[in-house]
Amino acid sequence: MIYKSRLIETLTGKNRGLLASKNDQQVILAAIAQVEDYNPNPCPFEAKELLNGNWRLLYTTSQELLRIDSFPFLKLGEIYQCIRVQDTAIYNIAEVSGLPLLEGIVSVVAQFEAVSEKRVNVKFNRSILGLQSLIGYQSPNRLIAEIESGKKFTAVDFKIQNREQKGWLDITYLDEDLRIGRGNQGNVFVLTKV
């Protein structure tokens, strides 16, 4: 699809939104809207096999995520959102690099509930922040397996019990390798399947 190719082209060199100017953001949002108009799966929960899996963030307007890059000596690495449809679970994993041996992980675990043909309510229930070396981080899949096994990590690892820690996400585009979502705080997320 030509609109999808144009969107990917507009995202090139924008470092998930960190390097996007105001003008770039407007062009990107227009390109996203064009792609959304041609969504081949307007009911994403009927295409669970496409939704399920590991997704890598290509672009976001979420300053909460992008702000991780502003800490001294830290650089935001890859950001993943791993969806396990059968378990109604979402694992958000941000890799952080910096000084040698100080590579880190910021991870949030959530449960989701489909409430319409394209919207999920999300409730955040666990956060893990720490050094990759202490956690034993090797990949998103391994971290998820350890979380699911109930492992307690040598890190800041805590349950999120605040009832305010919830939100929703509309899945506005889904195909074999691209997913677009719009969240309750007005943020947009463009991800590619890995």
Side-chain angles (χ1 to χ4, degrees):
M1 174 188 6
I2 191 163
Y3 293 119
K4 183 175 163 182
S5 299
R6 283 186 193 155
L7 171 60
I8 300 302
E9 188 178 306
T10 64
L11 298 178
T12 302
K14 303 303 184 280
N15 193 7
R16 289 151 302 173
L18 285 167
L19 302 177
S21 67
K22 292 286 183 197
N23 186 53
D24 291 334
Q25 290 172 2
Q26 291 176 345
V27 170
I28 290 168
L29 291 175
I32 288 170
Q34 284 183 325
V35 171
E36 289 170 326
D37 286 343
Y38 294 95
N39 186 0
N41 295 289
C43 301
F45 299 102
E46 293 176 9
K48 293 178 182 179
E49 71 286 350
L50 295 179
L51 186 58
N52 199 59
N54 295 351
W55 297 85
R56 183 175 49 85
L57 185 71
L58 295 177
Y59 178 81
T60 187
T61 56
S62 170
Q63 291 306 305
E64 190 173 288
L65 277 178
L66 298 177
R67 197 175 304 124
I68 295 171
D69 197 70
S70 65
F71 288 99
F73 308 112
L74 296 180
K75 281 285 172 217
L76 186 57
E78 298 293 351
I79 299 174
Y80 299 96
Q81 185 173 72
C82 306
I83 299 175
R84 302 300 184 259
V85 173
Q86 183 176 335
D87 300 325
T88 64
I90 299 173
Y91 300 87
N92 294 320
I93 302 167
E95 298 174 349
V96 181
S97 62
L99 298 174
L101 304 175
L102 293 182
E103 292 84 11
I105 288 292
V106 178
S107 179
V108 178
V109 181
Q111 293 297 129
F112 71 87
E113 174 187 15
V115 294
S116 76
E117 62 185 22
K118 68 177 183 177
R119 179 169 288 182
V120 294
N121 283 342
V122 180
K123 183 179 181 299
F124 303 99
N125 52 28
R126 186 174 177 188
S127 184
I128 301 164
L129 305 117
L131 296 176
Q132 291 182 23
S133 58
L134 291 178
I135 292 172
Y137 178 78
Q138 294 178 1
S139 70
N141 282 339
R142 180 160 174 188
L143 179 66
I144 291 166
E146 291 174 337
I147 290 170
E148 288 174 344
S149 75
K151 180 177 180 178
K152 185 79 171 155
F153 294 92
T154 306
V156 178
D157 182 354
F158 60 93
K159 290 189 182 297
I160 300 172
Q161 299 190 357
N162 183 346
R163 292 192 175 146
E164 303 298 313
Q165 293 295 324
K166 57 186 173 182
W168 55 260
L169 179 75
D170 285 341
I171 300 168
T172 58
Y173 183 90
L174 177 67
D175 70 14
E176 299 79 25
D177 62 359
L178 188 72
R179 180 167 55 92
I180 300 173
R182 293 181 180 266
N184 58 291
Q185 295 181 334
N187 294 315
V188 65
F189 304 89
V190 180
L191 304 102
T192 187
K193 201 159 203 180
V194 293

